[in-house]
Amino acid sequence: MTVKVLFVCLGNICRSPTAHGVFQKMLADAGLGAEIEVDSAGTGDWHIGRSPDPRSQAAALSRNYDLSPLRARQVCLADFHEFDYILAMDKQNLTDLQAIRSDQAKCELALFLNYAANPTRCEVPDPYYGGERGFDEVLDLVEAAAAGLLAHICEHHALGKGAGL
Ligand code: 4NP
């Protein structure tokens, strides 16, 4: 069985593609790319089809994450049936997702930073209107939560044996 993870922010051009790229590389490094699938989406529709923000791409590339193949899309009702985990970057994203979620959907819907081992905050701040430092802060928060998420999934889905996790 494949475990499917969807990261969601507002525009799907800064925070959730960063989480997507970081988690995807973590999975590849752990040899779990076939067992755990990852995607990202936005609650908004303004940037559908666009590449991640160049500032997010540059910050990510400086840590060896390539976000260039990713394209923005909008979250949809089918996602709640397709994915096992839908993880929101901030409380507004979570509220918006709860509003469109159907009662039958059994996926885990939560704030992404809940999975950080030692969370210093509960939301990934939107870097879009800020300076360069904001994009590095997104990466710091995302890397910590992604490590915690991977450990959680391996434990709860009996994955990662022999992968050093
Ligand atoms: P994201 O950042 O939700 O992390 O992708 C944003 C991107 C674009 C806008 C807002 C936030 N916007 O207003 O266009």
Side-chain angles (χ1 to χ4, degrees):
M1 194 201 82
T2 311
V3 180
K4 296 189 172 188
V5 177
L6 180 69
F7 296 110
V8 177
C9 62
L10 176 60
N12 193 209
I13 56 168
C14 299
R15 293 165 292 172
S16 61
T18 299
H20 185 159
V22 167
F23 198 55
Q24 197 157 51
K25 179 162 190 302
M26 223 171 250
L27 294 177
D29 290 348
L32 289 169
E35 285 88 354
I36 305 173
E37 285 180 22
V38 56
D39 196 5
S40 61
T43 56
D45 63 0
W46 311 285
H47 302 287
I48 291 172
R50 298 218 180 118
S51 300
D53 187 293
R55 298 165 295 174
S56 290
Q57 290 202 52
L61 205 54
S62 76
R63 298 190 195 190
N64 270 328
Y65 306 111
D66 179 12
L67 307 187
S68 67
L70 306 180
R71 296 293 178 271
R73 73 170 180 89
Q74 189 173 27
V75 72
C76 64
L77 208 50
D79 289 326
F80 290 89
H81 300 283
E82 173 86 12
F83 289 90
D84 302 291
Y85 294 84
I86 298 187
L87 301 172
M89 297 297 136
D90 65 32
K91 290 176 186 169
Q92 185 60 55
N93 305 148
L94 184 62
T95 301
D96 292 341
L97 289 164
Q98 283 163 341
I100 56 170
R101 171 191 198 152
S102 78
D103 290 341
Q104 294 90 26
K106 289 197 283 288
C107 67
E108 168 77 9
L109 176 58
L111 284 171
F112 178 39
L113 293 193
N114 281 355
Y115 287 94
N118 295 299
T120 50
R121 51 199 307 169
C122 65
E123 301 182 288
V124 183
D126 186 348
Y128 190 68
Y129 294 107
E132 298 295 317
R133 174 76 198 107
F135 292 86
D136 260 334
E137 187 186 15
V138 167
L139 277 160
D140 292 340
L141 294 167
V142 161
E143 284 179 335
L149 175 65
L150 184 54
H152 171 91
I153 292 176
C154 286
E155 190 180 331
H156 286 258
H157 301 268
L159 294 171
K161 305 270 188 305
L165 296 165

